[in-house]
Amino acid sequence: MQTTTEPALRIRTVPVARARGDLRILDVRDDLSRVTRANGEIVGYVDRVDVAGGTAYRARRYVSTERRFVELPSVWSADDAVDCLRWG
């Protein structure tokens, strides 16, 4: 008899939140984080991107006046991607 193992579905009951400088980072999924200011204003998103050399991180800044996201260059660290939103 052959048995198969179904992939485990992991659902977070409590989102992981942290801060970097004046920004708040909330993990939406394992590979996506929302970056906001302390007042709740959305600054953008950081997501994990698989590339040939490993894992990179892409920041997308939200431009509220245009109601769109601007993709910033990918970097090798999630903290660097947040800093792109923080300082850029």
PDB file of all heavy atoms in Angstrom, residues 39-70:
ATOM      1  N   ASN A  39       1.054  55.629  11.844  1.00  0.00           N
ATOM      2  CA  ASN A  39      -0.355  56.046  11.784  1.00  0.00           C
ATOM      3  C   ASN A  39      -1.203  55.120  10.910  1.00  0.00           C
ATOM      4  O   ASN A  39      -2.390  55.359  10.722  1.00  0.00           O
ATOM      5  CB  ASN A  39      -0.462  57.487  11.280  1.00  0.00           C
ATOM      6  CG  ASN A  39       0.030  57.658   9.853  1.00  0.00           C
ATOM      7  OD1 ASN A  39       0.425  56.710   9.201  1.00  0.00           O
ATOM      8  ND2 ASN A  39       0.010  58.903   9.387  1.00  0.00           N
ATOM      9  N   GLY A  40      -0.583  54.070  10.330  1.00  0.00           N
ATOM     10  CA  GLY A  40      -1.321  53.117   9.513  1.00  0.00           C
ATOM     11  C   GLY A  40      -1.235  53.357   8.013  1.00  0.00           C
ATOM     12  O   GLY A  40      -1.706  52.540   7.230  1.00  0.00           O
ATOM     13  N   GLU A  41      -0.642  54.464   7.597  1.00  0.00           N
ATOM     14  CA  GLU A  41      -0.502  54.765   6.167  1.00  0.00           C
ATOM     15  C   GLU A  41       0.402  53.727   5.502  1.00  0.00           C
ATOM     16  O   GLU A  41       1.505  53.444   5.974  1.00  0.00           O
ATOM     17  CB  GLU A  41       0.110  56.152   5.998  1.00  0.00           C
ATOM     18  CG  GLU A  41       0.440  56.518   4.580  1.00  0.00           C
ATOM     19  CD  GLU A  41       1.253  57.805   4.490  1.00  0.00           C
ATOM     20  OE1 GLU A  41       1.578  58.411   5.525  1.00  0.00           O
ATOM     21  OE2 GLU A  41       1.571  58.195   3.355  1.00  0.00           O
ATOM     22  N   ILE A  42      -0.052  53.128   4.410  1.00  0.00           N
ATOM     23  CA  ILE A  42       0.727  52.116   3.712  1.00  0.00           C
ATOM     24  C   ILE A  42       1.858  52.779   2.935  1.00  0.00           C
ATOM     25  O   ILE A  42       1.637  53.702   2.152  1.00  0.00           O
ATOM     26  CB  ILE A  42      -0.151  51.290   2.760  1.00  0.00           C
ATOM     27  CG1 ILE A  42      -1.162  50.483   3.560  1.00  0.00           C
ATOM     28  CG2 ILE A  42       0.703  50.359   1.895  1.00  0.00           C
ATOM     29  CD1 ILE A  42      -2.133  49.692   2.714  1.00  0.00           C
ATOM     30  N   VAL A  43       3.080  52.307   3.186  1.00  0.00           N
ATOM     31  CA  VAL A  43       4.251  52.791   2.467  1.00  0.00           C
ATOM     32  C   VAL A  43       4.510  51.889   1.266  1.00  0.00           C
ATOM     33  O   VAL A  43       4.855  52.356   0.192  1.00  0.00           O
ATOM     34  CB  VAL A  43       5.481  52.826   3.395  1.00  0.00           C
ATOM     35  CG1 VAL A  43       6.731  53.240   2.640  1.00  0.00           C
ATOM     36  CG2 VAL A  43       5.232  53.743   4.575  1.00  0.00           C
ATOM     37  N   GLY A  44       4.323  50.584   1.451  1.00  0.00           N
ATOM     38  CA  GLY A  44       4.539  49.655   0.350  1.00  0.00           C
ATOM     39  C   GLY A  44       4.566  48.219   0.836  1.00  0.00           C
ATOM     40  O   GLY A  44       4.144  47.911   1.947  1.00  0.00           O
ATOM     41  N   TYR A  45       5.083  47.351  -0.022  1.00  0.00           N
ATOM     42  CA  TYR A  45       5.183  45.929   0.270  1.00  0.00           C
ATOM     43  C   TYR A  45       6.582  45.443  -0.052  1.00  0.00           C
ATOM     44  O   TYR A  45       7.252  45.981  -0.932  1.00  0.00           O
ATOM     45  CB  TYR A  45       4.187  45.132  -0.584  1.00  0.00           C
ATOM     46  CG  TYR A  45       2.758  45.293  -0.136  1.00  0.00           C
ATOM     47  CD1 TYR A  45       1.964  46.310  -0.648  1.00  0.00           C
ATOM     48  CD2 TYR A  45       2.209  44.433   0.790  1.00  0.00           C
ATOM     49  CE1 TYR A  45       0.658  46.466  -0.243  1.00  0.00           C
ATOM     50  CE2 TYR A  45       0.894  44.572   1.207  1.00  0.00           C
ATOM     51  CZ  TYR A  45       0.120  45.587   0.684  1.00  0.00           C
ATOM     52  OH  TYR A  45      -1.172  45.738   1.104  1.00  0.00           O
ATOM     53  N   VAL A  46       7.023  44.416   0.664  1.00  0.00           N
ATOM     54  CA  VAL A  46       8.281  43.739   0.384  1.00  0.00           C
ATOM     55  C   VAL A  46       7.934  42.274   0.175  1.00  0.00           C
ATOM     56  O   VAL A  46       7.254  41.667   0.995  1.00  0.00           O
ATOM     57  CB  VAL A  46       9.285  43.892   1.546  1.00  0.00           C
ATOM     58  CG1 VAL A  46      10.494  42.996   1.334  1.00  0.00           C
ATOM     59  CG2 VAL A  46       9.703  45.334   1.707  1.00  0.00           C
ATOM     60  N   ASP A  47       8.390  41.717  -0.957  1.00  0.00           N
ATOM     61  CA  ASP A  47       8.136  40.297  -1.195  1.00  0.00           C
ATOM     62  C   ASP A  47       9.424  39.584  -1.553  1.00  0.00           C
ATOM     63  O   ASP A  47      10.401  40.183  -1.995  1.00  0.00           O
ATOM     64  CB  ASP A  47       7.062  40.072  -2.253  1.00  0.00           C
ATOM     65  CG  ASP A  47       7.370  40.693  -3.597  1.00  0.00           C
ATOM     66  OD1 ASP A  47       8.206  41.608  -3.655  1.00  0.00           O
ATOM     67  OD2 ASP A  47       6.764  40.277  -4.583  1.00  0.00           O
ATOM     68  N   ARG A  48       9.413  38.280  -1.302  1.00  0.00           N
ATOM     69  CA  ARG A  48      10.568  37.433  -1.566  1.00  0.00           C
ATOM     70  C   ARG A  48      10.493  36.949  -3.007  1.00  0.00           C
ATOM     71  O   ARG A  48       9.444  36.550  -3.480  1.00  0.00           O
ATOM     72  CB  ARG A  48      10.553  36.249  -0.603  1.00  0.00           C
ATOM     73  CG  ARG A  48      11.776  35.395  -0.671  1.00  0.00           C
ATOM     74  CD  ARG A  48      11.771  34.306   0.366  1.00  0.00           C
ATOM     75  NE  ARG A  48      10.608  33.444   0.192  1.00  0.00           N
ATOM     76  CZ  ARG A  48       9.820  33.044   1.178  1.00  0.00           C
ATOM     77  NH1 ARG A  48      10.046  33.423   2.401  1.00  0.00           N
ATOM     78  NH2 ARG A  48       8.789  32.260   0.929  1.00  0.00           N
ATOM     79  N   VAL A  49      11.623  37.007  -3.706  1.00  0.00           N
ATOM     80  CA  VAL A  49      11.696  36.606  -5.103  1.00  0.00           C
ATOM     81  C   VAL A  49      12.807  35.565  -5.234  1.00  0.00           C
ATOM     82  O   VAL A  49      13.938  35.814  -4.808  1.00  0.00           O
ATOM     83  CB  VAL A  49      12.014  37.818  -6.014  1.00  0.00           C
ATOM     84  CG1 VAL A  49      12.085  37.405  -7.457  1.00  0.00           C
ATOM     85  CG2 VAL A  49      11.004  38.924  -5.807  1.00  0.00           C
ATOM     86  N   ASP A  50      12.487  34.407  -5.802  1.00  0.00           N
ATOM     87  CA  ASP A  50      13.511  33.393  -6.041  1.00  0.00           C
ATOM     88  C   ASP A  50      14.240  33.720  -7.337  1.00  0.00           C
ATOM     89  O   ASP A  50      13.616  33.908  -8.379  1.00  0.00           O
ATOM     90  CB  ASP A  50      12.872  32.008  -6.126  1.00  0.00           C
ATOM     91  CG  ASP A  50      12.282  31.579  -4.788  1.00  0.00           C
ATOM     92  OD1 ASP A  50      12.876  31.921  -3.754  1.00  0.00           O
ATOM     93  OD2 ASP A  50      11.240  30.911  -4.790  1.00  0.00           O
ATOM     94  N   VAL A  51      15.554  33.829  -7.241  1.00  0.00           N
ATOM     95  CA  VAL A  51      16.390  34.116  -8.406  1.00  0.00           C
ATOM     96  C   VAL A  51      17.461  33.031  -8.508  1.00  0.00           C
ATOM     97  O   VAL A  51      17.635  32.236  -7.586  1.00  0.00           O
ATOM     98  CB  VAL A  51      17.038  35.518  -8.316  1.00  0.00           C
ATOM     99  CG1 VAL A  51      15.990  36.612  -8.381  1.00  0.00           C
ATOM    100  CG2 VAL A  51      17.863  35.653  -7.063  1.00  0.00           C
ATOM    101  N   ALA A  52      18.183  33.016  -9.595  1.00  0.00           N
ATOM    102  CA  ALA A  52      19.180  31.967  -9.831  1.00  0.00           C
ATOM    103  C   ALA A  52      20.238  31.905  -8.727  1.00  0.00           C
ATOM    104  O   ALA A  52      20.697  30.841  -8.370  1.00  0.00           O
ATOM    105  CB  ALA A  52      19.839  32.174 -11.179  1.00  0.00           C
ATOM    106  N   GLY A  53      20.614  33.038  -8.187  1.00  0.00           N
ATOM    107  CA  GLY A  53      21.643  33.081  -7.158  1.00  0.00           C
ATOM    108  C   GLY A  53      21.135  32.831  -5.757  1.00  0.00           C
ATOM    109  O   GLY A  53      21.896  32.836  -4.804  1.00  0.00           O
ATOM    110  N   GLY A  54      19.853  32.627  -5.573  1.00  0.00           N
ATOM    111  CA  GLY A  54      19.290  32.417  -4.241  1.00  0.00           C
ATOM    112  C   GLY A  54      17.972  33.145  -4.091  1.00  0.00           C
ATOM    113  O   GLY A  54      17.117  33.095  -4.964  1.00  0.00           O
ATOM    114  N   THR A  55      17.846  33.875  -2.992  1.00  0.00           N
ATOM    115  CA  THR A  55      16.620  34.607  -2.696  1.00  0.00           C
ATOM    116  C   THR A  55      16.912  36.095  -2.653  1.00  0.00           C
ATOM    117  O   THR A  55      17.856  36.523  -1.994  1.00  0.00           O
ATOM    118  CB  THR A  55      16.040  34.158  -1.345  1.00  0.00           C
ATOM    119  OG1 THR A  55      15.795  32.753  -1.395  1.00  0.00           O
ATOM    120  CG2 THR A  55      14.749  34.880  -1.037  1.00  0.00           C
ATOM    121  N   ALA A  56      16.110  36.858  -3.353  1.00  0.00           N
ATOM    122  CA  ALA A  56      16.219  38.314  -3.340  1.00  0.00           C
ATOM    123  C   ALA A  56      14.923  38.884  -2.774  1.00  0.00           C
ATOM    124  O   ALA A  56      13.928  38.163  -2.601  1.00  0.00           O
ATOM    125  CB  ALA A  56      16.462  38.846  -4.747  1.00  0.00           C
ATOM    126  N   TYR A  57      14.920  40.157  -2.475  1.00  0.00           N
ATOM    127  CA  TYR A  57      13.743  40.826  -1.926  1.00  0.00           C
ATOM    128  C   TYR A  57      13.435  42.056  -2.759  1.00  0.00           C
ATOM    129  O   TYR A  57      14.327  42.811  -3.108  1.00  0.00           O
ATOM    130  CB  TYR A  57      13.977  41.191  -0.459  1.00  0.00           C
ATOM    131  CG  TYR A  57      14.152  39.962   0.383  1.00  0.00           C
ATOM    132  CD1 TYR A  57      15.409  39.385   0.543  1.00  0.00           C
ATOM    133  CD2 TYR A  57      13.069  39.338   0.967  1.00  0.00           C
ATOM    134  CE1 TYR A  57      15.575  38.233   1.281  1.00  0.00           C
ATOM    135  CE2 TYR A  57      13.226  38.185   1.704  1.00  0.00           C
ATOM    136  CZ  TYR A  57      14.479  37.633   1.861  1.00  0.00           C
ATOM    137  OH  TYR A  57      14.628  36.486   2.580  1.00  0.00           O
ATOM    138  N   ARG A  58      12.153  42.238  -3.065  1.00  0.00           N
ATOM    139  CA  ARG A  58      11.724  43.345  -3.919  1.00  0.00           C
ATOM    140  C   ARG A  58      10.792  44.240  -3.106  1.00  0.00           C
ATOM    141  O   ARG A  58       9.854  43.775  -2.479  1.00  0.00           O
ATOM    142  CB  ARG A  58      10.993  42.780  -5.123  1.00  0.00           C
ATOM    143  CG  ARG A  58      10.379  43.839  -6.018  1.00  0.00           C
ATOM    144  CD  ARG A  58       9.665  43.217  -7.178  1.00  0.00           C
ATOM    145  NE  ARG A  58       8.671  42.245  -6.680  1.00  0.00           N
ATOM    146  CZ  ARG A  58       8.159  41.263  -7.416  1.00  0.00           C
ATOM    147  NH1 ARG A  58       8.541  41.094  -8.654  1.00  0.00           N
ATOM    148  NH2 ARG A  58       7.271  40.456  -6.912  1.00  0.00           N
ATOM    149  N   ALA A  59      11.058  45.529  -3.144  1.00  0.00           N
ATOM    150  CA  ALA A  59      10.191  46.513  -2.491  1.00  0.00           C
ATOM    151  C   ALA A  59       9.322  47.173  -3.552  1.00  0.00           C
ATOM    152  O   ALA A  59       9.789  47.468  -4.651  1.00  0.00           O
ATOM    153  CB  ALA A  59      11.030  47.559  -1.763  1.00  0.00           C
ATOM    154  N   ARG A  60       8.061  47.370  -3.212  1.00  0.00           N
ATOM    155  CA  ARG A  60       7.139  48.099  -4.091  1.00  0.00           C
ATOM    156  C   ARG A  60       6.532  49.232  -3.288  1.00  0.00           C
ATOM    157  O   ARG A  60       5.820  49.015  -2.325  1.00  0.00           O
ATOM    158  CB  ARG A  60       6.047  47.161  -4.610  1.00  0.00           C
ATOM    159  CG  ARG A  60       6.598  46.116  -5.562  1.00  0.00           C
ATOM    160  CD  ARG A  60       5.550  45.157  -6.029  1.00  0.00           C
ATOM    161  NE  ARG A  60       5.193  44.285  -4.913  1.00  0.00           N
ATOM    162  CZ  ARG A  60       3.991  43.787  -4.706  1.00  0.00           C
ATOM    163  NH1 ARG A  60       3.001  44.060  -5.514  1.00  0.00           N
ATOM    164  NH2 ARG A  60       3.758  42.998  -3.689  1.00  0.00           N
ATOM    165  N   ARG A  61       6.876  50.468  -3.673  1.00  0.00           N
ATOM    166  CA  ARG A  61       6.393  51.658  -2.963  1.00  0.00           C
ATOM    167  C   ARG A  61       5.011  52.033  -3.481  1.00  0.00           C
ATOM    168  O   ARG A  61       4.753  52.053  -4.678  1.00  0.00           O
ATOM    169  CB  ARG A  61       7.343  52.830  -3.190  1.00  0.00           C
ATOM    170  CG  ARG A  61       6.826  54.155  -2.621  1.00  0.00           C
ATOM    171  CD  ARG A  61       7.789  55.272  -2.822  1.00  0.00           C
ATOM    172  NE  ARG A  61       9.019  55.058  -2.081  1.00  0.00           N
ATOM    173  CZ  ARG A  61       9.127  55.198  -0.754  1.00  0.00           C
ATOM    174  NH1 ARG A  61       8.087  55.520  -0.040  1.00  0.00           N
ATOM    175  NH2 ARG A  61      10.281  55.003  -0.155  1.00  0.00           N
ATOM    176  N   TYR A  62       4.110  52.350  -2.534  1.00  0.00           N
ATOM    177  CA  TYR A  62       2.763  52.776  -2.908  1.00  0.00           C
ATOM    178  C   TYR A  62       2.754  54.293  -3.088  1.00  0.00           C
ATOM    179  O   TYR A  62       3.186  55.039  -2.210  1.00  0.00           O
ATOM    180  CB  TYR A  62       1.750  52.381  -1.833  1.00  0.00           C
ATOM    181  CG  TYR A  62       0.345  52.778  -2.182  1.00  0.00           C
ATOM    182  CD1 TYR A  62      -0.306  52.218  -3.271  1.00  0.00           C
ATOM    183  CD2 TYR A  62      -0.342  53.721  -1.429  1.00  0.00           C
ATOM    184  CE1 TYR A  62      -1.592  52.578  -3.608  1.00  0.00           C
ATOM    185  CE2 TYR A  62      -1.631  54.079  -1.750  1.00  0.00           C
ATOM    186  CZ  TYR A  62      -2.249  53.507  -2.837  1.00  0.00           C
ATOM    187  OH  TYR A  62      -3.526  53.866  -3.171  1.00  0.00           O
ATOM    188  N   VAL A  63       2.301  54.748  -4.257  1.00  0.00           N
ATOM    189  CA  VAL A  63       2.180  56.176  -4.552  1.00  0.00           C
ATOM    190  C   VAL A  63       0.689  56.500  -4.467  1.00  0.00           C
ATOM    191  O   VAL A  63      -0.071  56.210  -5.393  1.00  0.00           O
ATOM    192  CB  VAL A  63       2.745  56.506  -5.951  1.00  0.00           C
ATOM    193  CG1 VAL A  63       2.650  57.996  -6.226  1.00  0.00           C
ATOM    194  CG2 VAL A  63       4.173  56.013  -6.090  1.00  0.00           C
ATOM    195  N   SER A  64       0.285  57.067  -3.351  1.00  0.00           N
ATOM    196  CA  SER A  64      -1.146  57.266  -3.095  1.00  0.00           C
ATOM    197  C   SER A  64      -1.788  58.260  -4.063  1.00  0.00           C
ATOM    198  O   SER A  64      -2.950  58.091  -4.430  1.00  0.00           O
ATOM    199  CB  SER A  64      -1.373  57.716  -1.652  1.00  0.00           C
ATOM    200  OG  SER A  64      -0.697  58.924  -1.403  1.00  0.00           O
ATOM    201  N   THR A  65      -1.049  59.273  -4.499  1.00  0.00           N
ATOM    202  CA  THR A  65      -1.637  60.262  -5.412  1.00  0.00           C
ATOM    203  C   THR A  65      -1.961  59.659  -6.768  1.00  0.00           C
ATOM    204  O   THR A  65      -2.858  60.120  -7.461  1.00  0.00           O
ATOM    205  CB  THR A  65      -0.691  61.465  -5.605  1.00  0.00           C
ATOM    206  OG1 THR A  65       0.575  60.987  -6.069  1.00  0.00           O
ATOM    207  CG2 THR A  65      -0.521  62.225  -4.307  1.00  0.00           C
ATOM    208  N   GLU A  66      -1.213  58.609  -7.138  1.00  0.00           N
ATOM    209  CA  GLU A  66      -1.442  57.954  -8.423  1.00  0.00           C
ATOM    210  C   GLU A  66      -2.152  56.612  -8.268  1.00  0.00           C
ATOM    211  O   GLU A  66      -2.474  55.970  -9.263  1.00  0.00           O
ATOM    212  CB  GLU A  66      -0.104  57.752  -9.140  1.00  0.00           C
ATOM    213  CG  GLU A  66       0.601  59.059  -9.442  1.00  0.00           C
ATOM    214  CD  GLU A  66       1.973  58.834 -10.062  1.00  0.00           C
ATOM    215  OE1 GLU A  66       2.270  57.700 -10.491  1.00  0.00           O
ATOM    216  OE2 GLU A  66       2.743  59.809 -10.119  1.00  0.00           O
ATOM    217  N   ARG A  67      -2.343  56.179  -7.015  1.00  0.00           N
ATOM    218  CA  ARG A  67      -2.977  54.893  -6.702  1.00  0.00           C
ATOM    219  C   ARG A  67      -2.320  53.735  -7.444  1.00  0.00           C
ATOM    220  O   ARG A  67      -2.975  52.943  -8.113  1.00  0.00           O
ATOM    221  CB  ARG A  67      -4.465  54.921  -7.002  1.00  0.00           C
ATOM    222  CG  ARG A  67      -5.213  55.839  -6.092  1.00  0.00           C
ATOM    223  CD  ARG A  67      -6.670  55.740  -6.358  1.00  0.00           C
ATOM    224  NE  ARG A  67      -7.394  56.558  -5.412  1.00  0.00           N
ATOM    225  CZ  ARG A  67      -8.680  56.685  -5.402  1.00  0.00           C
ATOM    226  NH1 ARG A  67      -9.417  56.054  -6.278  1.00  0.00           N
ATOM    227  NH2 ARG A  67      -9.261  57.442  -4.504  1.00  0.00           N
ATOM    228  N   ARG A  68      -1.003  53.654  -7.311  1.00  0.00           N
ATOM    229  CA  ARG A  68      -0.268  52.580  -7.969  1.00  0.00           C
ATOM    230  C   ARG A  68       0.993  52.272  -7.170  1.00  0.00           C
ATOM    231  O   ARG A  68       1.386  53.017  -6.268  1.00  0.00           O
ATOM    232  CB  ARG A  68       0.089  52.935  -9.401  1.00  0.00           C
ATOM    233  CG  ARG A  68       1.124  54.032  -9.526  1.00  0.00           C
ATOM    234  CD  ARG A  68       1.432  54.364 -10.984  1.00  0.00           C
ATOM    235  NE  ARG A  68       2.510  55.310 -11.079  1.00  0.00           N
ATOM    236  CZ  ARG A  68       3.749  55.005 -11.461  1.00  0.00           C
ATOM    237  NH1 ARG A  68       4.054  53.772 -11.773  1.00  0.00           N
ATOM    238  NH2 ARG A  68       4.678  55.936 -11.532  1.00  0.00           N
ATOM    239  N   PHE A  69       1.629  51.149  -7.515  1.00  0.00           N
ATOM    240  CA  PHE A  69       2.876  50.742  -6.896  1.00  0.00           C
ATOM    241  C   PHE A  69       4.027  50.960  -7.873  1.00  0.00           C
ATOM    242  O   PHE A  69       3.880  50.727  -9.070  1.00  0.00           O
ATOM    243  CB  PHE A  69       2.828  49.265  -6.494  1.00  0.00           C
ATOM    244  CG  PHE A  69       1.924  49.007  -5.332  1.00  0.00           C
ATOM    245  CD1 PHE A  69       0.600  48.674  -5.540  1.00  0.00           C
ATOM    246  CD2 PHE A  69       2.392  49.100  -4.036  1.00  0.00           C
ATOM    247  CE1 PHE A  69      -0.243  48.435  -4.475  1.00  0.00           C
ATOM    248  CE2 PHE A  69       1.556  48.865  -2.968  1.00  0.00           C
ATOM    249  CZ  PHE A  69       0.235  48.535  -3.185  1.00  0.00           C
ATOM    250  N   VAL A  70       5.164  51.367  -7.336  1.00  0.00           N
ATOM    251  CA  VAL A  70       6.381  51.523  -8.125  1.00  0.00           C
ATOM    252  C   VAL A  70       7.370  50.477  -7.618  1.00  0.00           C
ATOM    253  O   VAL A  70       7.708  50.449  -6.435  1.00  0.00           O
ATOM    254  CB  VAL A  70       6.980  52.942  -7.966  1.00  0.00           C
ATOM    255  CG1 VAL A  70       8.313  53.045  -8.680  1.00  0.00           C
ATOM    256  CG2 VAL A  70       6.004  53.987  -8.465  1.00  0.00           C
TER     257      VAL A  70
END
